[in-house]
Amino acid sequence: MTLSLEIEKANYFATAAKENWISFVSFLMFLLAWELICYFEIIGPYQLVPPSEVIVGFFEKLRDVNPDGALLQHHAVASLALALTGFVAAVVIGVPLGLFMGWYPKVNLMVRPLFDAIRPIPPIAWIPIAILWLGIGMVAKAFIIFLAAFVPCVINSYTGIRLTNPVLIRVAEIYGASNFETFRKIGVPSAIPMVFTGMKLSLNAAWTTLVAAELLAASEGLGFMIQQGRRLARPDVIIVGMLAIGFLGALMSWILTQVEARFASSRRLS
Amino acid sequence: MSTFIKKYSKWLAPIGSFAAFLLLWQVASLNVSADFLPSPLMVWDELVRLSQTPVGGTSLLGHVGYSLRRVMIAFILAVAFGLPLGLLMGWNRVCDKIVSPIFELLRPIPPIAWIPIAILWLGVAEGSKIFICFVGAFVIMVLNSYTGMRYVDPLLIDAARSFGANPRQQFFNVAVPACLPSIFAGVQNALSMAWMCVLAAEMVGAREGVGFIIIQGMDLNKSSMILVGMILIGIVGSLLAALLRGAERALCPWRSEMV
Amino acid sequence: MTADNKSAYKAKREVKVSVKNLTKKYGDLLVLDNINFDIYKGELLCIVGPTGCGKTTFLNCLSRFIPITEGTIDVDGVPADPHIHNIAFVFQEVSAIPWLTVEDNIRFGLRIKRLPEDEIEKRVERMLDIVGLTKYRTYYPQQLSASMEQRVVIARNFAINPDLLLMDEPYGQLDVKLRYYLEDELMRIWKELGSTVAFITHNIEEAVYLAERILILSPKPSTIKEEVIVDLPHPRQFDDPKFVALRDYVTESIKWW
Amino acid sequence: MSEDREVKIACKGISKTFHVPGQKKLLHVLNSVSLEVYKNEFLVILGPGQSGKTVLLNCIAGLIEPTQGSILINNKPITGPGPDRGMVFQRYALFPWKTVVQNVAFGLTIRGVPLKERMEVAQHYIDLVGLNGFEKSYPAELSGGMKQRVGIARAYASDPDILLMDEPFGALDAQTRYAMEKELRLIWEKEKRTVCFVTNNIEEAIYLGDRVVIMSALPGRIKTEHNITIPVPRAYTHPDFLTLRKQISEDTDLVL
């Protein structure tokens, strides 16, 4: 009866909830240290600004287009729009492709050559050729983001369906189900948890690649904003931009987790 | 014939798929103008040319050497700091409570978003590039070793305790070996992340490295140079990954049958 | 075990499944060696063999999951085929589909068989009642105990009114007291629905407790070593001398430990 | 017969309640269990699946702290796990990265016994459980029965006074289980220790136990006790064996 051992371990970390004050204190210490480093100018004002100035900078950026020529919200919307288009396209194409590749060996043989060639090359390495092919506009960036998000979707859907419990496949076969019916009724549902993992990874990849693309060639977006912040030695703009990128990335992942939880609870995926 | 296939089938599939890819590329390059998509042969000639004449003052191999040096320094530092921190956070509740708030603040920021501030702090030279690769690899190393430690089977810890093992023995003799598989997964992911970050850093501002080559190709509008760079990046990346998989199989023999 | 009680047993029964010189080789490793036997309509046949006698391979051949090297398997005189015949299989591992409720699990096989909806609903209600899970119809498998989950699987398999129900040691991991209870329940369902059941197990006492007839497999390469008729009324007592004699007889034939 | 025998383990009013994480309700698993185990006695604790018998065993092992009550070994209260009690687990709990001989010698490694001596002791117990020839194998390469032999050898090798066995044969098929029961009884006759053996299988309890203690369903408490006087080696279909089995079968609860 492993019940007792799991409970002991869970209690070990759960009862620690009342020790959250340690986290609170350590976070305060971190901010304090940061404030003091700037106060005593251990790192110069042109390289680092204290948290207080970052907060001020954040509210300013919501109203002031300087120095990069657009409000924070505008950059954020531009980045989100671009990342999500690439991400959604990758999911819509990548997930079904991964599922079919995992289930039907013939499909796998057909797609494998192209896929294995793309995979080892990091998405960021595609930026130059994409810009050469599609110019520095939105299309090139969307293509790069699509590529970045596409690979994890395919890999995880492929792995997910190949890890289907063989006993359940036999359950369908014994009742005389066709291969496609077994794919639809057993393969796909059991792959769903891994598909969601893949979507989270590809969302992360899309968001990372977006920043890279905006650093290199963009006229708007959070990546462009922090690059301008560097060119104009405005560490407050850079840090605000970085925190915004981090926050939005985390927010999108959190939303995806909620969708998965609701989806799984309705289908009780263990 | 069938025994031949069975014996070499492990190699046949990758070779077959590579040959099919080359064919696909050749056909595609025929009906598209060369400066958009050069044929495999043109890229091969470019590779030969580049390996003789230096680009921006450094030979092709020199560029790869620069990139690898940056990746390796950052990777080793990330493992040296990230691995112990991750294991400790997973094992000790207090340490987890102290570090995780700061870690959770920095974790969602993609390593590439650190490039501007890194250049501001450490200039365009080696320092900022190594720092960016370090950030990327470090976060992944901490995460994988932390998760590995938290998912160690409590039964193994209790087995050790039943023999009177003290906490130090439980940690070193049982917990760490038990999460070796996730540590190796972390090491492999950290290296591939470092490899990606060095590209980004070099593309934003560098005079050497594979990232520089593909940006140079873009600036000179020479697609064949870009493709040479991309193929190099793909090959070196895969070699690094294969190297680590070999190391894992050597260091964890018990896993070889299971894997 | 005399010859006459075998012929008397077989005289009044109709053959449902007949297996003729079934042989299975993996490469040149012989696993099943020329197995011949029949299963009679509405019979509860138990097949028992020593550990490692190729029981799983035998089952996979019988259920057509893997091709057989030689020999034939006929159901009602026609070569067995899951697409034509109603073959059902209760696996050793619990095989309730995790993302389907109890009632949808039972509907699963019926839907694949493309039965009309009203017939499906009728059978689902009946099976829920027989296994006593009507109260739990909207539960998911993880919310049930292991024994209840196994009963969902049994209900799902009996629901399609199988020509042949194969059961691979379904109660192997359960509490002993629980196993007696579920074995009695299986007997009840089997009598009520009159299905043909082939129950395969390593547990000799379980085989003697359930079976009308027992086939004993030899060690690898396995063949039918012996056939034993169990002419005791159900439910049987494990301390009844005749039961104990039969159990000792079968144990001696298999004993390797 | 039990007055003059030395008491090895004494459990006094052991209760255990778990806070189930995520739910507010408390789970009462043990309800003031008192039990004495005599020196070199093969005691079997029999109970249905969910009866807290494993938690009781873990309390004796010191891996779980009881909410109330105390446990004395050689009349001294225990403070936690210790090498005087060796444990065999249902799910084996072997170290996958160690070979068979390294697993068996684990207890001695923990105590810092020099290598040469460790290997000799480990080899003795590997021969005792019939695993010679498998010293260099990894757990992943062994069958269920062989894995449990490693578990038994490992527990014996650290020379404990007490062996605590948590449904060790629960995952084996019926025939391998008979083989392991016979094997364990032979090993125990050769190297006597005080044994606490937990199981839900009635035949196994009667075949192995000098005394069988029966626990109720959750919250577990001691219902009754039977002394097994059938001469060893015991036959599962012996009339006395069967009558005792019928009696005990009535005492155990059915948990659906």
Side-chain angles (χ1 to χ4, degrees):
Chain A
M1 193 169 89
T2 56
L3 168 71
S4 54
L5 305 176
E6 262 85 41
I7 287 184
E8 283 296 319
K9 176 109 187 186
N11 284 346
Y12 172 76
F13 273 95
T15 46
K18 55 186 179 332
E19 287 175 357
N20 277 340
W21 61 270
I22 302 178
S23 313
F24 187 67
V25 165
S26 86
F27 190 64
L28 281 188
M29 295 300 290
F30 167 72
L31 293 180
L32 193 63
W34 182 358
E35 196 74 35
L36 291 178
I37 289 173
C38 297
Y39 183 74
F40 294 110
E41 290 195 1
I42 296 160
I43 300 180
Y46 291 104
Q47 288 168 322
L48 184 66
V49 287
S52 45
E53 263 182 57
V54 168
I55 294 164
V56 167
F58 169 71
F59 287 108
E60 255 173 36
K61 201 66 202 102
L62 290 177
R63 294 189 315 289
D64 176 0
V65 288
N66 297 327
D68 44 84
L71 298 177
L72 179 63
Q73 317 87 308
H74 174 76
H75 288 308
V77 165
S79 297
L80 278 175
L82 198 51
L84 289 176
T85 40
F87 168 67
V88 166
V91 168
V92 163
I93 299 168
V95 170
L97 181 66
L99 291 173
F100 280 106
M101 271 170 76
W103 194 264
Y104 295 94
K106 281 195 279 314
V107 171
N108 191 18
L109 273 176
M110 263 197 309
V111 177
R112 210 66 198 181
L114 195 61
F115 188 72
D116 279 346
I118 303 170
R119 196 151 77 125
I121 299 168
I124 288 165
W126 286 88
I127 292 177
I129 199 85
I131 289 173
L132 197 74
W133 285 345
L134 306 161
I136 70 161
M138 296 282 286
V139 178
K141 285 200 273 294
F143 169 70
I144 300 155
I145 291 160
F146 167 80
L147 264 184
F150 177 73
V151 171
C153 268
V154 175
I155 294 174
N156 281 276
S157 313
Y158 175 88
T159 320
I161 203 159
R162 288 187 74 81
L163 293 177
T164 309
N165 179 352
V167 171
L168 296 183
I169 294 175
R170 290 212 159 144
V171 165
E173 277 173 1
I174 195 68
Y175 296 128
S178 67
N179 192 19
F180 181 69
E181 195 171 6
T182 312
F183 167 76
R184 193 164 49 85
K185 292 196 167 179
I186 297 288
V188 172
S190 76
I192 282 175
M194 276 292 268
V195 165
F196 268 101
T197 315
M199 283 166 70
K200 262 180 240 155
L201 290 172
S202 68
L203 183 65
N204 200 328
W207 194 237
T208 306
T209 315
L210 166 85
V211 174
E214 284 178 346
L215 284 180
L216 282 168
S219 54
E220 58 178 9
L222 295 170
F224 168 74
M225 183 175 114
I226 57 177
Q227 184 71 315
Q228 288 303 94
R230 177 183 58 87
R231 288 204 182 94
L232 306 158
R234 286 285 301 276
D236 57 340
V237 170
I238 297 177
I239 294 173
V240 164
M242 283 169 71
L243 291 176
I245 292 169
F247 172 73
L248 288 173
L251 181 68
M252 287 193 288
S253 289
W254 180 78
I255 292 168
L256 206 53
T257 321
Q258 297 315 315
V259 167
E260 178 184 13
R262 191 146 308 101
F263 195 79
S265 66
S266 71
R267 298 182 58 100
R268 257 306 166 282
L269 297 184
S270 61
Chain B
M1 180 52 188
S2 69
T3 48
F4 170 80
I5 291 176
K6 226 193 262 74
K7 200 147 111 41
Y8 294 104
S9 64
K10 202 160 71 63
W11 296 104
L12 218 54
I15 293 169
S17 88
F18 181 68
F21 169 71
L22 278 185
L23 195 65
L24 213 67
W25 178 4
Q26 179 64 27
V27 164
S29 68
L30 287 180
N31 43 45
V32 166
S33 74
D35 54 15
F36 260 94
L37 181 62
S39 71
L41 261 77
M42 287 169 67
V43 172
W44 176 258
D45 299 341
E46 179 68 8
L47 180 68
V48 169
R49 188 184 68 76
L50 277 177
S51 50
Q52 278 131 11
T53 56
V55 178
T58 330
S59 73
L60 204 60
L61 270 176
H63 286 293
V64 174
Y66 266 98
S67 297
L68 276 180
R69 200 174 66 82
R70 291 167 185 150
V71 167
M72 278 309 152
I73 294 172
F75 170 67
I76 288 159
L77 285 172
V79 173
F81 289 100
L83 177 57
L85 179 64
L87 291 178
L88 215 58
M89 279 169 70
W91 178 256
N92 178 307
R93 192 172 60 218
V94 173
C95 172
D96 182 8
K97 287 293 166 193
I98 292 171
V99 177
S100 53
I102 305 157
F103 189 76
E104 285 311 316
L105 174 71
L106 306 178
R107 177 162 71 112
I109 301 171
I112 289 152
W114 285 88
I115 292 178
I117 199 104
I119 293 172
L120 209 62
W121 286 350
L122 303 159
V124 187
E126 297 306 296
S128 62
K129 297 179 184 45
I130 292 173
F131 174 77
I132 291 150
C133 299
F134 170 79
V135 167
F138 175 76
V139 166
I140 287 185
M141 197 64 243
V142 171
L143 263 179
N144 274 274
S145 27
Y146 174 80
T147 329
M149 184 54 82
R150 281 296 297 275
Y151 284 100
V152 167
D153 182 355
L155 201 58
L156 294 184
I157 305 290
D158 278 332
R161 280 173 65 205
S162 75
F163 286 103
N166 58 43
R168 194 180 52 77
Q169 284 170 322
Q170 288 167 34
F171 181 78
F172 286 106
N173 290 36
V174 175
V176 170
C179 53
L180 267 178
S182 9
I183 290 174
F184 263 100
V187 163
Q188 279 166 3
N189 293 342
L191 186 59
S192 73
M193 175 57 89
W195 180 243
M196 194 178 90
C197 291
V198 80
L199 291 180
E202 285 165 358
M203 284 160 68
V204 170
R207 283 184 304 285
E208 319 82 18
V210 284
F212 164 75
I213 291 178
I214 52 178
I215 282 294
Q216 193 67 359
M218 187 177 82
D219 293 345
L220 303 171
N221 258 320
K222 287 192 66 165
S223 56
S224 52
M225 181 191 255
I226 299 176
L227 287 173
V228 165
M230 287 169 73
I231 290 165
L232 262 179
I233 291 164
I235 290 168
V236 173
S238 315
L239 278 178
L240 290 174
L243 215 67
L244 276 183
R245 270 198 299 277
E248 177 178 10
R249 207 164 290 116
L251 286 170
C252 311
W254 79 92
R255 274 181 55 74
S256 51
E257 324 82 41
M258 280 196 280
V259 127
Chain C
M1 285 55 74
T2 56
D4 59 358
N5 83 354
K6 281 192 194 142
S7 49
Y9 175 89
K10 293 177 184 173
K12 51 186 177 6
R13 292 193 184 239
E14 181 201 333
V15 174
K16 184 72 182 180
V17 178
S18 82
V19 176
K20 297 256 177 315
N21 37 58
L22 167 62
T23 308
K24 175 67 185 178
K25 286 203 185 84
Y26 287 111
D28 42 29
L29 171 67
L30 180 63
V31 178
L32 305 178
D33 179 15
N34 192 4
I35 292 180
N36 292 284
F37 68 97
D38 296 333
I39 308 177
Y40 299 96
K41 190 170 185 356
E43 179 186 35
L44 205 165
L45 172 75
C46 277
I47 300 165
V48 67
T51 308
C53 64
K55 170 186 84 155
T56 314
T57 313
F58 174 75
L59 276 172
N60 288 339
C61 293
L62 220 55
S63 53
R64 317 301 292 173
F65 284 138
I66 55 173
I68 52 179
T69 317
E70 274 166 51
T72 59
I73 300 174
D74 296 346
V75 174
D76 298 331
V78 172
D81 174 1
H83 299 286
I84 310 163
H85 300 111
N86 281 340
I87 301 174
F89 200 138
V90 176
F91 299 95
Q92 190 162 3
E93 310 86 352
V94 179
S95 60
I97 298 168
W99 55 82
L100 295 179
T101 61
V102 166
E103 55 182 340
D104 286 341
N105 253 288
I106 299 175
R107 285 196 184 91
F108 185 75
L110 301 168
R111 287 232 167 92
I112 293 179
K113 297 283 179 187
R114 302 287 188 279
L115 288 172
E117 271 309 307
D118 55 353
E119 176 60 17
I120 288 181
E121 288 320 309
K122 198 158 62 69
R123 288 198 192 179
V124 168
E125 291 312 320
R126 185 161 181 232
M127 288 319 298
L128 280 172
D129 177 46
I130 286 179
V131 290
L133 289 176
T134 316
K135 260 197 330 357
Y136 299 94
R137 57 190 314 148
T138 55
Y139 280 57
Y140 284 93
Q142 297 88 294
Q143 297 168 295
L144 305 173
S145 68
S147 71
M148 287 157 81
E149 210 175 329
Q150 191 64 316
R151 285 148 87 202
V152 170
V153 171
I154 285 165
R156 179 182 69 207
N157 280 293
F158 272 111
I160 63 165
N161 198 352
D163 296 315
L164 170 64
L165 171 58
L166 297 170
M167 299 182 81
D168 180 1
E169 208 161 353
Y171 309 133
Q173 304 305 330
L174 300 177
D175 269 8
V176 168
K177 202 80 193 268
L178 203 49
R179 210 171 65 237
Y180 298 152
Y181 180 86
L182 292 173
E183 281 161 4
D184 294 340
E185 182 181 76
L186 176 65
M187 305 300 295
R188 191 166 45 77
I189 301 173
W190 165 66
K191 277 210 184 78
E192 197 172 327
L193 301 179
S195 332
T196 309
V197 176
F199 190 99
I200 291 93
T201 179
H202 281 122
N203 188 326
I204 296 159
E205 187 189 46
E206 186 174 41
V208 176
Y209 184 80
L210 289 171
E212 294 183 306
R213 184 166 63 108
I214 298 177
L215 295 179
I216 302 175
L217 293 177
S218 68
K220 255 188 198 143
S222 64
T223 181
I224 305 285
K225 186 175 174 188
E226 213 176 329
E227 187 186 37
V228 174
I229 306 293
V230 183
D231 50 15
L232 295 172
H234 287 114
R236 295 161 183 165
Q237 299 303 327
F238 61 77
D239 52 355
D240 156 17
K242 280 219 247 84
F243 181 95
V244 171
L246 264 172
R247 178 184 168 183
D248 284 343
Y249 179 81
V250 175
T251 308
E252 271 331 298
S253 168
I254 289 178
K255 191 157 185 156
W256 51 269
W257 58 90
Chain D
M1 177 274 284
S2 60
E3 295 69 25
D4 54 10
R5 292 182 61 183
E6 183 200 339
V7 174
K8 196 70 185 175
I9 308 170
C11 303
K12 293 188 165 61
I14 301 294
S15 295
K16 180 66 188 177
T17 312
F18 284 108
H19 304 277
V20 180
Q23 296 144 12
K24 279 189 224 25
K25 65 176 170 63
L26 296 173
L27 184 63
H28 299 288
V29 175
L30 290 176
N31 180 355
S32 87
V33 170
S34 295
L35 173 71
E36 278 179 354
V37 187
Y38 307 106
K39 185 170 170 45
N40 288 349
E41 177 188 30
F42 201 115
L43 177 87
V44 172
I45 303 173
L46 176 70
Q50 296 281 346
S51 63
K53 52 190 188 303
T54 301
V55 171
L56 176 63
L57 202 70
N58 277 299
C59 289
I60 299 173
L63 296 172
I64 292 180
E65 231 189 290
T67 321
Q68 277 138 18
S70 64
I71 298 174
L72 307 169
I73 290 180
N74 301 328
N75 296 322
K76 285 195 300 307
I78 61 166
T79 51
D84 57 344
R85 285 153 285 155
M87 190 131 173
V88 180
F89 298 83
Q90 176 174 14
R91 285 195 297 125
Y92 313 121
L94 300 180
F95 304 114
W97 60 87
K98 288 177 183 289
T99 61
V100 166
V101 66
Q102 287 165 343
N103 261 289
V104 172
F106 179 79
L108 305 172
T109 319
I110 287 294
R111 285 216 299 279
V113 169
L115 181 64
K116 203 173 76 56
E117 197 192 324
R118 283 204 310 256
M119 287 307 145
E120 271 159 31
V121 171
Q123 193 58 51
H124 168 71
Y125 285 105
I126 285 177
D127 302 338
L128 181 70
V129 295
L131 272 177
N132 23 39
F134 290 94
E135 289 81 356
K136 287 284 171 285
S137 317
Y138 285 100
E141 302 160 39
L142 305 176
S143 72
M146 287 157 75
K147 282 192 187 130
Q148 203 51 292
R149 288 168 195 265
V150 176
I152 293 166
R154 177 175 71 174
Y156 258 109
S158 59
D159 192 21
D161 300 344
I162 297 164
L163 276 178
L164 304 172
M165 307 179 91
D166 178 14
E167 287 185 62
F169 309 141
L172 305 176
D173 72 83
Q175 292 168 26
T176 316
R177 198 165 187 159
Y178 289 139
M180 288 302 288
E181 283 157 9
K182 188 170 95 174
E183 189 84 20
L184 177 60
R185 189 74 202 194
L186 286 174
I187 294 170
W188 182 71
E189 301 288 351
K190 280 194 214 123
E191 300 233 359
K192 282 268 172 103
R193 298 288 188 284
T194 309
V195 171
C196 273
F197 187 98
V198 159
T199 183
N200 64 28
N201 184 317
I202 299 170
E203 267 190 334
E204 188 167 84
I206 300 170
Y207 182 84
L208 288 172
D210 295 339
R211 184 162 57 109
V212 175
V213 163
I214 299 170
M215 286 186 68
S216 65
L218 283 182
R221 54 175 177 68
I222 307 270
K223 279 182 77 170
T224 56
E225 182 183 297
H226 290 268
N227 282 320
I228 315 291
T229 53
I230 306 171
V232 169
R234 295 168 181 154
Y236 295 95
T237 49
H238 185 283
D240 301 345
F241 194 103
L242 291 169
T243 41
L244 193 54
R245 179 177 158 190
K246 198 158 187 61
Q247 231 175 14
I248 292 180
S249 183
E250 258 101 43
D251 294 341
T252 50
D253 298 346
L254 168 64
V255 174
L256 267 184

